[in-house]
Amino acid sequence: MGKGVFITFEGIDGVGKTTQLNILCKQLQKLGYTVVKTREPGGTWLGRQIRQILLAPTDQAISQQAEILLYAADRAQHVQEIVKPALAAGKIVVCDRYVDSSIAYQGYGLGWDVEAIVQINQKAIDGLMPHLTLCLDNEPELTLTRTKGDRIEQRDIAYYQRVRQGYQEIAQQYSERFKIISAQGSIEEVSQRVWKIIQERGLV
Ligand code: TMP
């Protein structure tokens, strides 16, 4: 790992993760840090093509295997092209989703063996795990009313309940790195919870 700081955001669709990520990036920039704000899928040119394939609503079948590998391909390019160079340059990288999304969505959500998802992603992450992951949490019944219905978001509430449960399991297993934050309340209340954890962890 480089000398920078790697922070990721996770959570089910519509939970307000991107709003909170934007607020955190602004706070860090105000303090004078150089921040690289990025996302998966879609943080690179290749990733934007893959994102379009993965998320465009379609009648065409995309097998679960292909879905897993496409997310991993996006990640492989992103880690090499964006995340690792930024960390090596001492920057703070704030990334909207990372490998935990594959564990939660493809592992727990689709019912794949989590170990298999981890194995497939090993080459993609190339040894790089975040210093801190902030996972926003709320009821899928509430968050999904805010989504636009892309190919993944067309999955049912039961799918999202499994994804949410997956995040809970990850939090138990990696309690040092992976923090669940309630997304209930105002945007400001949630951003204060996020900032408190950043400070507690002494990352900035
Ligand atoms: P976004 O809307 O938060 O940008 O995420 C894109 C969608 O892709 C979202 O529904 C979550 C899903 N996703 C996975 O299923 N697996 C993954 O590994 C990643 C990164 C995202």
Side-chain angles (χ1 to χ4, degrees):
M1 180 154 327
K3 42 197 162 76
V5 177
F6 186 26
I7 299 168
T8 59
F9 274 76
E10 293 287 346
I12 59 172
D13 293 279
V15 76
K17 161 179 67 58
T18 309
T19 305
Q20 292 301 328
L21 179 146
N22 286 333
I23 293 172
L24 175 64
C25 288
K26 284 205 182 111
Q27 282 171 313
L28 293 169
Q29 280 160 343
K30 261 196 198 154
L31 290 175
Y33 292 100
T34 308
V35 178
V36 173
K37 186 173 83 173
T38 186
R39 71 170 176 181
E40 291 189 1
T44 62
W45 174 84
L46 177 65
R48 284 187 283 284
Q49 322 305 309
I50 295 175
R51 182 180 175 93
Q52 170 67 19
I53 293 168
L54 278 166
L55 299 186
T58 175
D59 299 338
Q60 300 296 315
I62 296 180
S63 71
Q64 295 184 355
Q65 289 86 340
E67 178 175 309
I68 292 164
L69 290 166
L70 282 168
Y71 279 112
D74 163 76
R75 186 161 299 128
Q77 182 70 24
H78 186 229
V79 165
Q80 300 303 327
E81 186 182 326
I82 306 286
V83 186
K84 283 200 169 189
L87 293 175
K91 296 175 184 169
I92 299 183
V93 177
V94 183
C95 185
D96 199 336
R97 301 194 180 281
Y98 193 55
V99 65
D100 298 301
S101 279
S102 285
I103 294 172
Y105 278 73
Q106 281 68 50
Y108 288 91
L110 294 179
W112 271 65
D113 173 28
V114 167
E115 248 330 287
I117 304 289
V118 170
Q119 288 275 327
I120 288 166
N121 273 277
Q122 248 162 22
K123 286 257 186 291
I125 66 170
D126 195 18
L128 180 69
M129 283 303 283
H131 294 97
L132 177 66
T133 300
L134 301 161
C135 181
L136 297 180
D137 179 67
N138 210 342
E139 308 279 341
E141 287 85 347
L142 298 176
T143 71
L144 292 177
T145 57
R146 303 180 195 145
T147 58
K148 293 183 291 294
D150 65 31
R151 196 183 62 86
I152 301 285
E153 289 162 354
Q154 288 173 355
R155 293 177 179 164
D156 61 14
I157 293 275
Y159 173 80
Y160 276 97
Q161 277 158 349
R162 292 194 297 277
V163 173
R164 187 184 187 203
Q165 181 57 32
Y167 281 131
Q168 303 283 345
E169 307 263 344
I170 297 170
Q172 280 189 5
Q173 210 179 334
Y174 302 99
S175 54
E176 267 304 292
R177 169 182 70 85
F178 195 98
K179 301 290 175 200
I180 294 201
I181 300 173
S182 167
Q184 286 180 1
S186 67
I187 289 176
E188 212 200 336
E189 280 165 345
V190 180
S191 73
Q192 281 166 1
R193 288 176 203 140
V194 167
W195 191 244
K196 189 162 173 266
I197 293 179
I198 295 285
Q199 286 184 313
E200 277 169 7
R201 293 298 297 264
L203 287 175
V204 296

